[in-house]
Amino acid sequence: MENEERACEKIFSNGDVYLGSFNGSIPHGKGKYTWSEGTVYEGDWEEGKMTGKGKIIWPSQATYEGDFSGGYLHGFGTFIGSDGSIYRGSWKMNSQHGIGRKQYPNSDIYDGCWREGVREGSGRYAWSIGNVYIGNWKSGKMSGRGVMKWSNGDLFDGFWSNGLRHGSGFYRFADGSYYFGTWSKGLKDGPGTFYPAGNKHLRNLEGHKDKKKKQLSRNSSYDSEESVIPSVKRSLSDKISSSFRRSSGRFSHKTTSLE
């Protein structure tokens, strides 16, 4: 089937359809592009590329609404995944990058810095069960200095690596007692100092309840699975642009064969 051209509308042989404004023979201004597989973009165009404000809906019903540049999700926008997760914040070339807030399907919430689609830099992660971590992140995991507070009132302030306590820190129990020491890959490691609640005298941890020993080596898990953002490759915009540039003839109310 040959491509067809009408005023404000172009239908491609592969089933794609564009309806909107043109500058010469390419999309420019406001327009709607529908891919044959069901993806729909509606918004601003510049020289054949999605640029400005717009909204894209994928067949999975995932959506993005916000800024575009050169065919990329780029600037500030809101992405709602097919799993119900919601991200609102900064984007760079199709990836969450900068400051943003994400609510996960299980109602956990992360507020903070992102780099190329993963948590990196400073941020706050709140679990739906009441635990809260505030501190540094690297490659999507707690790394560097950070504070974890559990829903029962326990608190850890110290260093983390790859999502686990690693290095020096102190653990404050809900009953007011403290433990100062070191950890290795999430486990209490080496000697430490224990302050019983209401007692200023130093003691070692030996002889105290096993429950406290277990608490010193416990860890909180978090939703490390990030939503998969459907493909919005720049090549799509480039392909759209080149397809229009290959077109010949003027737009009219009559259908015109292009090839």
Side-chain angles (χ1 to χ4, degrees):
M1 177 179 178
E2 298 293 330
N3 288 349
E4 296 179 347
E5 186 178 275
R6 298 185 301 188
C8 297
E9 183 178 62
K10 183 167 286 188
I11 303 172
F12 293 93
S13 59
N14 64 357
D16 291 359
V17 178
Y18 173 78
L19 177 64
S21 302
F22 293 86
N23 179 15
S25 61
I26 59 175
H28 189 86
K30 300 287 185 181
K32 179 180 180 180
Y33 196 101
T34 303
W35 282 265
S36 58
E37 40 77 28
T39 301
V40 178
Y41 168 81
E42 186 167 7
D44 296 331
W45 294 79
E46 185 175 310
E47 298 299 324
K49 296 178 180 179
M50 298 175 286
T51 299
K53 301 289 185 181
K55 181 176 182 178
I56 189 165
I57 304 174
W58 288 271
S60 65
Q61 298 307 304
T63 65
Y64 169 84
E65 185 168 8
D67 297 330
F68 289 79
S69 180
Y72 289 108
L73 281 58
H74 190 90
F76 186 89
T78 300
F79 176 83
I80 301 176
S82 58
D83 60 0
S85 61
I86 302 173
Y87 172 84
R88 180 177 174 81
S90 298
W91 294 77
K92 182 179 180 182
M93 298 176 70
N94 294 347
S95 293
Q96 298 134 322
H97 191 93
I99 303 297
R101 180 182 192 271
K102 181 169 183 177
Q103 180 172 322
Y104 293 85
N106 63 359
S107 296
D108 289 359
I109 296 175
Y110 173 78
D111 276 289
C113 298
W114 297 77
R115 181 179 174 83
E116 297 180 354
V118 297
R119 300 178 292 260
E120 183 145 342
S122 60
R124 178 183 187 273
Y125 194 105
W127 284 258
S128 59
I129 60 174
N131 300 341
V132 177
Y133 170 83
I134 301 175
N136 292 317
W137 297 77
K138 185 176 181 180
S139 301
K141 297 182 178 180
M142 299 175 286
S143 292
R145 183 69 181 270
V147 178
M148 170 75 80
K149 184 175 182 180
W150 284 268
S151 58
N152 70 345
D154 286 5
L155 179 146
F156 172 79
D157 185 346
F159 290 90
W160 301 73
S161 178
N162 201 34
L164 301 172
R165 281 169 286 180
H166 189 82
S168 61
F170 81 88
Y171 193 107
R172 186 191 70 196
F173 296 90
D175 64 6
S177 55
Y178 286 82
Y179 175 80
F180 292 81
T182 58
W183 281 257
S184 177
K185 297 181 179 179
L187 301 176
K188 184 178 73 69
D189 182 49
T193 303
F194 179 71
Y195 291 83
N199 193 324
K200 296 182 180 180
H201 297 290
L202 306 182
R203 297 184 184 180
N204 61 40
L205 194 62
E206 299 305 321
H208 286 274
K209 295 181 180 179
D210 289 339
K211 181 180 179 181
K212 279 188 167 54
K213 293 180 182 179
K214 290 180 180 179
Q215 285 173 294
L216 290 174
S217 294
R218 70 173 177 170
N219 290 290
S220 287
S221 62
Y222 46 85
D223 189 343
S224 60
E225 296 297 323
E226 296 298 344
S227 301
V228 176
I229 299 170
S231 176
V232 185
K233 297 180 180 178
R234 186 175 183 180
S235 58
L236 286 176
S237 278
D238 288 341
K239 183 178 180 181
I240 292 168
S241 180
S242 62
S243 295
F244 277 100
R245 288 194 173 95
R246 287 199 304 270
S247 302
S248 60
R250 296 180 179 179
F251 291 99
S252 68
H253 292 289
K254 296 182 179 180
T255 299
T256 304
S257 176
L258 298 177
E259 296 178 355

